[in-house]
Amino acid sequence: MLLVVLACLLPVVMIISIGVGAVPIPASEILTILSDQLGFGSGVINDQSALIVESIRLPRTLLGLIVGGSLSVAGASMQGLFRNPLADPSIIGVASGAALGAGIAIVLGGVLFAGMPSLLQSYSVSILAFAGGVITTWLVYKMGTGNNGTSVATMLLAGVAINALAGAGMGMLNYIADETMLRNLTFWQMGSLGGATWELVLICASLLVPVVLFLGRYGLVLNALLLGESEARHLGIDVQKVKLQLIFLTALAVGVSVSVSGIIGFVGLVVPHLIRLAVGPDHRILLPASAMLGGMLLLAADMVSRTIVAPAELPIGIVTALMGAPFFLSLLWQQRKRIA
Protein backbone atom coordinates (compact mmCIF):
# COMPACT_ATOMS: atom_id res chain seq x y z
CA MET A 1 0.00 0.00 0.00
CA LEU A 2 2.79 2.42 0.92
CA LEU A 3 4.57 1.84 -2.38
CA VAL A 4 1.36 2.63 -4.28
CA VAL A 5 0.83 5.85 -2.29
CA LEU A 6 4.44 6.97 -2.87
CA ALA A 7 4.24 6.11 -6.57
CA CYS A 8 1.11 8.28 -6.88
CA LEU A 9 2.66 11.17 -4.95
CA LEU A 10 5.91 11.14 -6.93
CA PRO A 11 4.64 12.77 -10.17
CA VAL A 12 2.67 15.31 -8.12
CA VAL A 13 5.79 16.39 -6.23
CA MET A 14 7.73 16.55 -9.51
CA ILE A 15 5.13 18.85 -11.09
CA ILE A 16 5.16 21.10 -8.01
CA SER A 17 8.98 21.18 -8.07
CA ILE A 18 9.02 22.20 -11.74
CA GLY A 19 6.48 24.95 -11.08
CA VAL A 20 8.12 26.51 -8.00
CA GLY A 21 10.76 29.22 -8.42
CA ALA A 22 11.39 32.88 -9.13
CA VAL A 23 8.99 32.55 -12.07
CA PRO A 24 5.99 30.45 -10.92
CA ILE A 25 4.54 28.19 -13.60
CA PRO A 26 1.03 26.68 -13.22
CA ALA A 27 0.69 22.90 -13.27
CA SER A 28 -1.60 23.03 -16.31
CA GLU A 29 1.05 24.91 -18.30
CA ILE A 30 3.75 22.45 -17.19
CA LEU A 31 1.65 19.51 -18.37
CA THR A 32 1.06 21.25 -21.72
CA ILE A 33 4.81 21.84 -22.17
CA LEU A 34 5.71 18.26 -21.23
CA SER A 35 3.00 16.87 -23.50
CA ASP A 36 4.33 18.97 -26.37
CA GLN A 37 7.81 17.60 -25.79
CA LEU A 38 6.42 14.07 -25.98
CA GLY A 39 4.58 14.87 -29.20
CA PHE A 40 1.08 14.94 -27.71
CA GLY A 41 0.71 18.69 -27.18
CA SER A 42 -2.11 20.70 -28.67
CA GLY A 43 -2.32 23.79 -26.43
CA VAL A 44 -0.71 27.22 -26.70
CA ILE A 45 2.77 27.31 -25.12
CA ASN A 46 4.49 30.29 -23.55
CA ASP A 47 8.03 30.31 -24.98
CA GLN A 48 9.58 31.72 -21.80
CA SER A 49 7.92 29.11 -19.59
CA ALA A 50 8.88 26.35 -22.01
CA LEU A 51 12.52 27.47 -21.91
CA ILE A 52 12.54 27.57 -18.08
CA VAL A 53 10.95 24.12 -17.80
CA GLU A 54 13.05 22.39 -20.45
CA SER A 55 16.45 23.95 -19.70
CA ILE A 56 16.38 24.60 -15.94
CA ARG A 57 13.54 23.14 -13.88
CA LEU A 58 13.10 19.69 -15.43
CA PRO A 59 16.82 18.74 -15.37
CA ARG A 60 17.07 20.03 -11.79
CA THR A 61 14.01 18.06 -10.70
CA LEU A 62 15.23 14.84 -12.32
CA LEU A 63 18.70 15.26 -10.79
CA GLY A 64 17.18 15.83 -7.34
CA LEU A 65 15.01 12.76 -7.74
CA ILE A 66 17.96 10.57 -8.75
CA VAL A 67 20.36 11.88 -6.09
CA GLY A 68 17.79 11.79 -3.27
CA GLY A 69 16.70 8.27 -4.15
CA SER A 70 20.29 7.05 -4.43
CA LEU A 71 21.35 8.50 -1.06
CA SER A 72 18.28 7.05 0.65
CA VAL A 73 18.73 3.55 -0.77
CA ALA A 74 22.43 3.70 0.11
CA GLY A 75 21.50 4.70 3.66
CA ALA A 76 18.98 1.88 4.01
CA SER A 77 21.55 -0.60 2.68
CA MET A 78 24.23 0.58 5.10
CA GLN A 79 21.84 0.40 8.04
CA GLY A 80 20.93 -3.15 7.07
CA LEU A 81 24.55 -4.20 6.52
CA PHE A 82 25.82 -2.70 9.79
CA ARG A 83 22.60 -3.71 11.60
CA ASN A 84 22.61 -0.19 13.03
CA PRO A 85 19.78 2.31 12.42
CA LEU A 86 22.24 5.17 13.04
CA ALA A 87 24.41 4.23 10.07
CA ASP A 88 24.34 6.49 7.02
CA PRO A 89 26.15 6.56 3.65
CA SER A 90 29.06 8.61 5.04
CA ILE A 91 29.88 6.03 7.68
CA ILE A 92 32.64 4.41 5.60
CA GLY A 93 34.16 7.71 4.53
CA VAL A 94 32.79 7.91 1.00
CA ALA A 95 31.31 11.39 1.36
CA SER A 96 34.45 12.71 3.09
CA GLY A 97 36.71 11.28 0.41
CA ALA A 98 34.52 12.74 -2.32
CA ALA A 99 34.57 16.13 -0.58
CA LEU A 100 38.37 16.02 -0.40
CA GLY A 101 38.59 15.15 -4.10
CA ALA A 102 36.28 18.05 -4.97
CA GLY A 103 38.32 20.38 -2.75
CA ILE A 104 41.52 19.40 -4.57
CA ALA A 105 39.83 20.13 -7.92
CA ILE A 106 38.56 23.54 -6.75
CA VAL A 107 41.83 24.68 -5.16
CA LEU A 108 44.46 22.91 -7.29
CA GLY A 109 42.46 22.12 -10.44
CA GLY A 110 44.04 24.97 -12.40
CA VAL A 111 47.40 23.23 -12.05
CA LEU A 112 46.28 19.59 -12.23
CA PHE A 113 44.05 20.02 -15.31
CA ALA A 114 46.17 22.60 -17.14
CA GLY A 115 46.42 21.79 -20.84
CA MET A 116 43.69 19.12 -20.67
CA PRO A 117 40.55 19.19 -22.87
CA SER A 118 37.92 21.73 -21.85
CA LEU A 119 35.39 18.93 -21.16
CA LEU A 120 37.66 17.43 -18.50
CA GLN A 121 38.27 20.85 -16.99
CA SER A 122 34.54 21.61 -16.78
CA TYR A 123 33.86 18.32 -14.98
CA SER A 124 37.07 18.32 -12.92
CA VAL A 125 35.23 18.73 -9.59
CA SER A 126 32.87 15.80 -10.31
CA ILE A 127 35.69 13.60 -11.61
CA LEU A 128 37.98 14.11 -8.61
CA ALA A 129 35.05 13.89 -6.16
CA PHE A 130 34.09 10.50 -7.55
CA ALA A 131 37.74 9.38 -7.53
CA GLY A 132 38.08 10.46 -3.90
CA GLY A 133 35.01 8.43 -2.92
CA VAL A 134 36.28 5.32 -4.71
CA ILE A 135 39.78 5.57 -3.19
CA THR A 136 38.48 5.98 0.38
CA THR A 137 36.11 3.05 -0.09
CA TRP A 138 38.97 0.87 -1.30
CA LEU A 139 41.13 1.90 1.67
CA VAL A 140 38.39 1.20 4.20
CA TYR A 141 37.62 -2.15 2.62
CA LYS A 142 41.29 -3.20 2.59
CA MET A 143 41.67 -2.20 6.24
CA GLY A 144 38.59 -4.15 7.26
CA THR A 145 39.33 -7.30 5.27
CA GLY A 146 41.64 -10.04 6.54
CA ASN A 147 42.08 -13.79 6.28
CA ASN A 148 38.83 -14.38 8.15
CA GLY A 149 36.74 -12.14 5.90
CA THR A 150 35.50 -8.58 6.25
CA SER A 151 34.95 -7.15 9.72
CA VAL A 152 32.13 -4.62 9.80
CA ALA A 153 33.39 -3.22 13.12
CA THR A 154 36.91 -2.67 11.72
CA MET A 155 35.46 -0.99 8.64
CA LEU A 156 33.46 1.31 10.88
CA LEU A 157 36.58 2.35 12.79
CA ALA A 158 38.53 2.74 9.55
CA GLY A 159 35.74 4.99 8.26
CA VAL A 160 36.09 7.19 11.34
CA ALA A 161 39.83 7.50 10.70
CA ILE A 162 39.32 8.27 7.01
CA ASN A 163 36.75 10.92 7.89
CA ALA A 164 39.27 12.54 10.23
CA LEU A 165 42.05 12.48 7.62
CA ALA A 166 39.75 13.88 4.94
CA GLY A 167 38.69 16.62 7.36
CA ALA A 168 42.32 17.51 7.95
CA GLY A 169 42.91 17.62 4.19
CA MET A 170 39.92 19.92 3.72
CA GLY A 171 41.25 22.16 6.47
CA MET A 172 44.60 22.42 4.68
CA LEU A 173 42.86 23.26 1.38
CA ASN A 174 40.81 25.94 3.14
CA TYR A 175 44.03 27.38 4.52
CA ILE A 176 45.81 27.69 1.15
CA ALA A 177 42.75 28.68 -0.92
CA ASP A 178 42.25 32.24 -2.06
CA GLU A 179 39.01 34.12 -1.47
CA THR A 180 37.22 32.90 -4.61
CA MET A 181 38.33 29.30 -4.12
CA LEU A 182 37.30 29.39 -0.47
CA ARG A 183 33.85 30.64 -1.39
CA ASN A 184 33.42 27.94 -4.06
CA LEU A 185 34.66 25.29 -1.66
CA THR A 186 32.29 26.39 1.07
CA PHE A 187 29.25 26.45 -1.19
CA TRP A 188 30.11 23.07 -2.71
CA GLN A 189 30.30 21.50 0.76
CA MET A 190 26.82 22.85 1.54
CA GLY A 191 25.30 21.07 -1.45
CA SER A 192 23.27 22.34 -4.40
CA LEU A 193 21.32 21.13 -7.41
CA GLY A 194 21.91 24.43 -9.20
CA GLY A 195 24.44 22.93 -11.61
CA ALA A 196 21.93 20.50 -13.13
CA THR A 197 22.18 20.08 -16.90
CA TRP A 198 20.79 17.47 -19.25
CA GLU A 199 24.30 16.03 -19.72
CA LEU A 200 24.69 15.66 -15.95
CA VAL A 201 21.25 14.08 -15.62
CA LEU A 202 22.04 11.53 -18.32
CA ILE A 203 25.39 10.64 -16.74
CA CYS A 204 23.83 10.24 -13.28
CA ALA A 205 20.86 8.28 -14.59
CA SER A 206 23.11 5.87 -16.50
CA LEU A 207 25.20 5.21 -13.37
CA LEU A 208 22.80 5.58 -10.45
CA VAL A 209 19.54 4.09 -11.73
CA PRO A 210 21.13 0.64 -12.36
CA VAL A 211 22.84 0.81 -8.94
CA VAL A 212 19.56 1.61 -7.16
CA LEU A 213 17.75 -1.16 -9.04
CA PHE A 214 20.52 -3.61 -8.21
CA LEU A 215 20.51 -2.65 -4.51
CA GLY A 216 16.74 -3.18 -4.53
CA ARG A 217 17.36 -6.88 -5.21
CA TYR A 218 19.10 -7.30 -1.83
CA GLY A 219 15.88 -7.04 0.21
CA LEU A 220 15.76 -10.68 1.29
CA VAL A 221 19.52 -10.81 1.87
CA LEU A 222 19.44 -7.75 4.15
CA ASN A 223 16.48 -9.24 6.01
CA ALA A 224 18.58 -12.33 6.64
CA LEU A 225 21.57 -10.25 7.78
CA LEU A 226 19.36 -8.62 10.41
CA LEU A 227 19.28 -12.03 12.10
CA GLY A 228 23.10 -12.10 12.27
CA GLU A 229 25.89 -13.24 9.97
CA SER A 230 25.97 -16.85 11.20
CA GLU A 231 22.21 -17.21 10.72
CA ALA A 232 22.52 -15.73 7.22
CA ARG A 233 25.22 -18.29 6.37
CA HIS A 234 22.94 -21.10 7.56
CA LEU A 235 20.35 -19.81 5.11
CA GLY A 236 22.85 -20.30 2.28
CA ILE A 237 23.95 -16.69 1.83
CA ASP A 238 27.57 -15.95 0.90
CA VAL A 239 27.98 -13.21 3.51
CA GLN A 240 31.48 -12.15 2.44
CA LYS A 241 30.41 -11.72 -1.19
CA VAL A 242 27.27 -9.82 -0.16
CA LYS A 243 29.29 -7.45 2.04
CA LEU A 244 31.67 -6.67 -0.81
CA GLN A 245 28.85 -6.05 -3.28
CA LEU A 246 26.84 -3.85 -0.89
CA ILE A 247 29.88 -1.79 0.12
CA PHE A 248 30.94 -1.00 -3.44
CA LEU A 249 27.42 -0.43 -4.76
CA THR A 250 26.78 1.97 -1.89
CA ALA A 251 30.11 3.69 -2.46
CA LEU A 252 29.27 4.10 -6.15
CA ALA A 253 25.84 5.56 -5.35
CA VAL A 254 27.20 8.01 -2.77
CA GLY A 255 30.32 8.89 -4.75
CA VAL A 256 28.40 9.80 -7.90
CA SER A 257 25.69 11.66 -5.92
CA VAL A 258 28.18 13.73 -3.95
CA SER A 259 30.23 14.46 -7.06
CA VAL A 260 27.29 16.18 -8.78
CA SER A 261 25.47 17.79 -5.86
CA GLY A 262 28.00 18.32 -3.07
CA ILE A 263 27.47 17.14 0.50
CA ILE A 264 23.78 16.64 1.28
CA GLY A 265 23.33 15.32 4.79
CA PHE A 266 20.56 13.51 6.68
CA VAL A 267 18.66 12.25 3.61
CA GLY A 268 20.25 8.80 3.77
CA LEU A 269 19.78 8.68 7.54
CA VAL A 270 16.26 10.04 8.04
CA VAL A 271 14.35 8.57 5.07
CA PRO A 272 14.86 4.87 5.98
CA HIS A 273 13.75 5.72 9.54
CA LEU A 274 10.53 7.25 8.22
CA ILE A 275 9.80 4.16 6.13
CA ARG A 276 10.52 1.84 9.08
CA LEU A 277 8.06 3.78 11.24
CA ALA A 278 5.40 3.17 8.58
CA VAL A 279 5.98 -0.43 7.47
CA GLY A 280 8.68 -1.96 9.68
CA PRO A 281 12.15 -3.27 8.77
CA ASP A 282 11.27 -5.44 5.75
CA HIS A 283 13.90 -4.40 3.18
CA ARG A 284 11.79 -5.68 0.29
CA ILE A 285 9.55 -2.67 0.90
CA LEU A 286 12.09 -0.45 2.66
CA LEU A 287 14.49 -0.15 -0.29
CA PRO A 288 12.04 0.87 -3.08
CA ALA A 289 10.04 3.06 -0.67
CA SER A 290 13.25 4.80 0.45
CA ALA A 291 14.15 5.49 -3.19
CA MET A 292 10.84 7.24 -3.85
CA LEU A 293 10.55 9.09 -0.54
CA GLY A 294 14.22 10.15 -0.67
CA GLY A 295 13.73 11.69 -4.09
CA MET A 296 10.60 13.52 -2.96
CA LEU A 297 12.24 14.75 0.26
CA LEU A 298 15.20 16.18 -1.64
CA LEU A 299 12.84 17.87 -4.12
CA ALA A 300 10.96 19.40 -1.18
CA ALA A 301 14.24 20.64 0.31
CA ASP A 302 15.25 22.05 -3.07
CA MET A 303 11.94 23.93 -3.37
CA VAL A 304 12.54 25.47 0.05
CA SER A 305 16.12 26.40 -0.88
CA ARG A 306 14.91 28.17 -4.04
CA THR A 307 12.13 30.17 -2.42
CA ILE A 308 12.98 30.92 1.22
CA VAL A 309 15.56 33.63 0.37
CA ALA A 310 14.46 34.34 -3.22
CA PRO A 311 15.83 35.60 -5.55
CA ALA A 312 18.97 34.16 -3.90
CA GLU A 313 19.31 30.42 -3.25
CA LEU A 314 19.98 28.79 0.10
CA PRO A 315 22.35 25.77 -0.11
CA ILE A 316 20.28 22.61 -0.02
CA GLY A 317 22.54 20.93 2.57
CA ILE A 318 21.47 23.57 5.10
CA VAL A 319 17.80 22.86 4.38
CA THR A 320 18.17 19.06 4.72
CA ALA A 321 20.04 19.53 7.99
CA LEU A 322 17.33 21.86 9.33
CA MET A 323 14.68 19.34 8.28
CA GLY A 324 16.51 16.20 9.35
CA ALA A 325 18.25 17.12 12.60
CA PRO A 326 15.09 17.93 14.65
CA PHE A 327 13.44 14.72 13.42
CA PHE A 328 16.51 12.71 14.34
CA LEU A 329 16.66 14.31 17.80
CA SER A 330 12.99 13.48 18.33
CA LEU A 331 13.71 9.83 17.47
CA LEU A 332 16.55 9.75 19.98
CA TRP A 333 14.31 11.36 22.61
CA GLN A 334 11.59 8.75 22.07
CA GLN A 335 14.17 5.97 22.29
CA ARG A 336 15.52 7.47 25.52
CA LYS A 337 12.03 7.52 27.05
CA ARG A 338 11.51 3.86 26.12
CA ILE A 339 14.80 2.87 27.76
CA ALA A 340 13.97 4.94 30.85
Side-chain angles (χ1 to χ4, degrees), residues 64-263:
L65 196 65
I66 295 168
V67 169
S70 301
L71 291 174
S72 300
V73 171
S77 301
M78 283 291 97
Q79 290 169 13
L81 176 63
F82 285 94
R83 297 189 295 279
N84 186 342
L86 300 181
D88 77 336
S90 64
I91 197 168
I92 54 174
V94 189
S96 298
L100 181 59
I104 291 171
I106 291 170
V107 178
L108 305 174
V111 176
L112 296 175
F113 288 84
M116 292 190 178
S118 58
L119 183 64
L120 280 178
Q121 292 182 19
S122 61
Y123 286 104
S124 61
V125 175
S126 297
I127 292 169
L128 288 190
F130 177 66
V134 170
I135 291 168
T136 52
T137 302
W138 180 80
L139 286 172
V140 169
Y141 178 75
K142 292 299 288 184
M143 290 177 188
T145 304
N147 295 329
N148 298 321
T150 301
S151 168
V152 172
T154 305
M155 281 187 59
L156 184 60
L157 293 172
V160 172
I162 291 293
N163 282 329
L165 284 172
M170 288 298 290
M172 181 62 69
L173 290 171
N174 284 328
Y175 181 75
I176 65 174
D178 62 29
E179 206 168 299
T180 303
M181 292 173 181
L182 189 59
R183 184 176 178 82
N184 291 338
L185 196 58
T186 302
F187 273 97
W188 189 90
Q189 286 180 279
M190 292 180 184
S192 174
L193 298 175
T197 61
W198 279 113
E199 290 80 6
L200 211 54
V201 169
L202 290 173
I203 291 170
C204 288
S206 63
L207 292 171
L208 293 178
V209 172
V211 169
V212 170
L213 293 175
F214 206 72
L215 282 171
R217 299 173 58 190
Y218 283 84
L220 284 173
V221 174
L222 286 169
N223 285 346
L225 284 174
L226 289 177
L227 303 172
E229 289 188 14
S230 58
E231 288 80 1
R233 288 192 183 94
H234 287 308
L235 292 172
I237 295 171
D238 187 340
V239 174
Q240 178 64 19
K241 181 180 178 181
V242 166
K243 283 182 185 177
L244 177 62
Q245 290 173 345
L246 284 173
I247 289 163
F248 279 95
L249 284 171
T250 301
L252 180 60
V254 177
V256 174
S257 298
V258 170
S259 71
V260 299
S261 64
I263 304 285

